[in-house]
Amino acid sequence: MSIFSIATSGLSAASLRVNVAASNIANVNTTGPLPASGGSGTSDGAATSNIGPTFPAAYVPLRVDQASQSSGSTPGGTIATVSAVSPSYTAQFDPSAPYANQDGLVAAPNVDLANEFVQLATAKYSFIANAKVIQAYSETEKSLLDITT
């Protein structure tokens, strides 16, 4: 794997990390009905017909998993994948919500804001480091071409 492709894989992973953290931060207050209550229906999970409106589920927070990428016997670069946080929600008291259960609980996304800001900082420095690698590679390649001519 070339230096350029290794650095661009790092840039892609950093970009994905920023997108996921931004989505989690933007949706930190997007609640929904507790999955056990299902928004409408009975408490035992059986559906009832047209008792009330169906509400969208709470936002499911995401996380980025990053691992080393290898092609054959030559390791290099990184690969990032997105997966759901588990558990995806926590019960939160909000009796004013139309989808709150009989105890006044709703499902709130299991987002740790401190961790999301750490992810943003990590992505920033990863992006800077990989951009510097590409810049150094470009300058080295240019100087090599200047020597040979």
Side-chain angles (χ1 to χ4, degrees):
M1 206 169 208
S2 75
I3 293 170
F4 184 74
S5 61
I6 291 171
T8 55
S9 73
L11 290 173
S12 295
S15 176
L16 185 61
R17 192 174 298 277
V18 167
N19 287 335
V20 166
S23 178
N24 287 345
I25 292 168
N27 290 294
V28 71
N29 292 323
T30 307
T31 60
L34 283 170
S37 66
S40 66
T42 62
S43 61
D44 64 357
T48 57
S49 60
N50 298 330
I51 282 193
T54 303
F55 297 99
Y59 171 75
V60 176
L62 304 171
R63 73 168 195 239
V64 175
D65 299 312
Q66 197 168 335
S68 177
Q69 178 183 14
S70 38
S71 57
S73 62
T74 308
T78 187
I79 187 163
T81 57
V82 177
S83 60
V85 171
S86 181
S88 64
Y89 70 92
T90 59
Q92 185 178 54
F93 186 69
D94 186 5
S96 64
Y99 43 81
N101 67 7
Q102 58 271 28
D103 298 325
L105 298 175
V106 298
N110 188 15
V111 174
D112 179 8
L113 282 176
N115 181 52
E116 297 306 324
F117 283 100
V118 168
Q119 294 300 319
L120 288 173
T122 301
K124 173 185 174 183
Y125 291 115
S126 175
F127 198 88
I128 290 170
N130 284 293
K132 290 286 186 183
V133 168
I134 291 172
Q135 181 182 15
Y137 175 73
S138 174
E139 290 171 1
T140 303
E141 189 175 71
K142 182 182 175 198
S143 66
L144 285 174
L145 290 174
D146 287 344
I147 291 172
T148 58
T149 57

